[in-house]
Amino acid sequence: MKNLSDASCPIARGLTCVGDAWSMLILRDASQGLTRFDEFRKSLGIAPTILTRRLATLTEEGLLEKRRYSERPPRDEYVLTAAGRDFLPVLVLLGAWGRQYRGEGRLTRYIDAETGEEIEPVAVDAVTGAKIGTRPIRVAAPE
Amino acid sequence: MKNLSDASCPIARGLTCVGDAWSMLILRDASQGLTRFDEFRKSLGIAPTILTRRLATLTEEGLLEKRRYSERPPRDEYVLTAAGRDFLPVLVLLGAWGRQYRGEGRLTRYIDAETGEEIEPVAVDAVTGAKIGTRPIRVAAPE
DNA sequence: TCAAGTCACTATCAAAATGATACGAACATG
DNA sequence: CATGTTCGTATCATTTTGATAGTGACTTGA
């Protein structure tokens, strides 16, 4: 995939940073509190070469931040930045789609830690309050 | 990437169908009304080999549907199924993220066709009404 | 103290996916 | 009948992925 990063479409822009499955799964795990190389590797069953690259890319793109947690031996962990944390809603919505259309068998559920109730994610337009997809959307050229 | 499709995580499930950038961009274009091979090809600048494969996968996965619009010559177009249409919120949210964190320069905007106002997409939990990400989420094992 | 373990990688190399380009089949149009 | 349109396939070089093994700098337990 070429240079989508200068496209005028914000979706394409987003995809240049996180447009592959591994990156999204890393972000999912990071949102659950994983921070270390081996935690990700074991959780995902990913080859270390690829994990190295993905972590580096996500760090460059500003979704993760390397933080040294041990000087001797030198050890870094990867923590979410604000941009990384703000990616969570995309994942949650993707999960909601997956549950609805690929929900055969037992699936992990996401629970609101305060109420104990299962979360039911929806995308809405904050302006009108309408669910996204229920009203026609018009695409407008930049500026 | 191996067989994520039987993972118990709904996000991983979702990613097996649409876990790459081209597929998402095809869905984006399809949501804007594109249906034909050449429309996608020109819009995306994608190699025809890859477009063929992506369209086939999305069709197999049930996000697109082939529909014959001409018998002679035989011509098919690709239209969104319900599953495909329901993927739009994920894209819109991804776009919102892209706008916030990769929004340099001029960007396409998404307008509510009825009010004429720019859409401001947010993911909320329909149960509590809270924005996703503002309350802690607990992951629960299946069943 | 010495072997074994942990952690965060890198090196190597085969296999698969991607991308560019050319070409084809079946028509429609001028 | 030459050209154009539409929806692809064939071919092949390049790139990316993935599996596996190994490494350096330690720590831990016996």
Side-chain angles (χ1 to χ4, degrees):
Chain A
M1 171 141 297
K2 328 156 298 198
N3 50 329
L4 234 49
S5 46
D6 57 346
S8 68
C9 169
I11 298 172
R13 294 271 184 101
L15 286 171
T16 52
C17 321
V18 236
D20 74 286
W22 284 134
S23 299
M24 298 218 199
L25 292 173
I26 290 171
L27 291 175
R28 176 201 64 179
D29 280 0
S31 298
Q32 288 311 311
L34 304 203
T35 57
R36 301 195 180 171
F37 192 90
D38 261 38
E39 290 178 326
F40 291 119
R41 191 174 58 75
K42 282 169 190 159
S43 164
L44 299 173
I46 186 177
T49 37
I50 302 192
L51 180 55
T52 300
R53 215 169 327 172
R54 286 285 174 279
L55 288 173
T57 307
L58 287 170
T59 303
E60 279 168 34
E61 298 284 3
L63 290 129
L64 293 176
E65 207 167 40
K66 242 178 153 161
R67 202 169 52 188
R68 179 141 298 189
Y69 69 90
S70 153
E71 286 299 335
R72 310 178 49 74
R75 289 280 180 274
D76 295 312
E77 61 186 357
Y78 297 86
V79 294
L80 287 170
T81 62
R85 280 190 300 276
D86 284 351
F87 199 80
L88 180 64
V90 178
L91 296 175
V92 168
L93 230 69
L94 178 61
W97 185 91
R99 176 181 311 283
Q100 187 172 359
Y101 291 103
R102 291 294 181 283
E104 313 84 31
R106 339 236 151 296
L107 284 186
T108 305
R109 286 159 304 127
Y110 298 99
I111 312 284
D112 185 297
E114 291 179 31
T115 67
E117 296 236 40
E118 188 164 350
I119 286 171
E120 206 181 293
V122 227
V124 300
D125 172 8
V127 178
T128 63
K131 243 173 87 176
I132 305 265
T134 59
R135 293 158 74 109
I137 295 173
R138 193 158 53 76
V139 174
E143 213 246 7
Chain B
M1 172 143 300
K2 325 157 297 197
N3 50 330
L4 235 48
S5 46
D6 57 344
S8 67
C9 170
I11 298 174
R13 293 271 185 101
L15 286 171
T16 54
C17 321
V18 238
D20 73 286
W22 285 133
S23 300
M24 298 217 198
L25 291 173
I26 290 171
L27 291 174
R28 176 200 65 179
D29 281 359
S31 298
Q32 288 310 308
L34 303 204
T35 58
R36 300 194 180 171
F37 192 90
D38 262 37
E39 290 177 326
F40 291 119
R41 194 174 56 74
K42 283 169 189 160
S43 163
L44 299 173
I46 185 176
T49 37
I50 302 193
L51 180 55
T52 299
R53 213 170 326 171
R54 287 285 175 280
L55 288 173
T57 307
L58 287 170
T59 304
E60 279 168 33
E61 298 283 4
L63 290 129
L64 292 177
E65 208 167 39
K66 243 177 152 158
R67 202 169 53 188
R68 178 141 300 188
Y69 68 90
S70 153
E71 287 299 334
R72 309 176 50 77
R75 289 281 181 275
D76 296 312
E77 60 186 357
Y78 298 88
V79 295
L80 286 171
T81 62
R85 279 191 299 275
D86 284 352
F87 199 80
L88 179 63
V90 179
L91 296 175
V92 168
L93 230 68
L94 178 60
W97 186 91
R99 175 182 310 284
Q100 187 172 359
Y101 291 104
R102 290 294 181 284
E104 313 83 31
R106 338 238 153 294
L107 285 186
T108 306
R109 286 158 306 125
Y110 297 99
I111 312 283
D112 186 295
E114 292 179 33
T115 67
E117 295 235 40
E118 188 164 350
I119 286 170
E120 206 181 294
V122 227
V124 300
D125 172 9
V127 179
T128 63
K131 244 174 84 176
I132 304 261
T134 58
R135 293 158 74 109
I137 295 173
R138 194 158 53 76
V139 175
E143 214 247 9

